[in-house]
Amino acid sequence: MDLNENKNDVPEPVNTPGQSPASELYRHLKKRAEEFDKKLDGGQCVGVRLIPAGQSVTFQVTALGYCDPNLIIFGGITENGLEVQLLQHVSQLNFLLMAMPRANPKEPKIPLGFIQ
């Protein structure tokens, strides 16, 4: 499965004049994730571990977007190869950036998919 082919499934960011919590959070997340990614070796990629309602979900981040005033959108691939898309209200955002093994380390590393 080509991880880049699903990157555009995350909606383009939508700004609402005068309201910007999601876009501000998006810029902060982007900066942190890119800094984290620079520290990883060639066999690793940026992953996210979410712990909603006592469960744990881990996936490689392939896309990140937002919809102002309060929605952050993550796209990615789980460790089992399943495509996921998480829509998260900014007030409930709580996740862990983590290094995870790349599914195909012999193929070129897929850059983080930030939609601006």
Side-chain angles (χ1 to χ4, degrees):
M1 172 182 219
D2 181 2
L3 298 179
N4 278 329
E5 72 187 40
N6 297 316
K7 185 162 59 171
N8 294 328
D9 288 346
V10 174
E12 289 292 325
V14 176
N15 289 312
T16 304
Q19 298 180 348
S20 63
S23 57
E24 290 299 318
L25 180 58
Y26 166 85
R27 283 189 272 287
H28 186 70
L29 289 172
K30 177 181 178 184
K31 178 182 176 186
R32 296 289 178 194
E34 288 174 340
E35 288 173 359
F36 187 84
D37 189 45
K38 288 178 186 176
K39 297 176 185 178
L40 302 179
D41 66 35
Q44 297 174 316
C45 61
V46 175
V48 170
R49 177 166 291 157
L50 303 163
I51 309 172
Q55 299 176 7
S56 178
V57 178
T58 303
F59 63 93
Q60 177 186 357
V61 178
T62 59
L64 177 65
Y66 65 91
C67 183
D68 270 339
N70 53 22
L71 193 61
I72 297 290
I73 304 161
F74 294 88
I77 306 295
T78 67
E79 294 172 302
N80 297 328
L82 300 173
E83 182 180 345
V84 295
Q85 191 173 96
L86 172 69
L87 310 174
Q88 186 79 45
H89 190 277
V90 296
S91 68
Q92 296 178 342
L93 190 62
N94 187 14
F95 65 88
L96 171 70
L97 281 178
M98 58 183 290
M100 58 186 296
R102 290 180 42 214
N104 299 307
K106 294 183 180 182
E107 294 180 10
K109 188 172 181 178
I110 298 170
L112 292 173
F114 291 100
I115 299 171
Q116 300 188 54

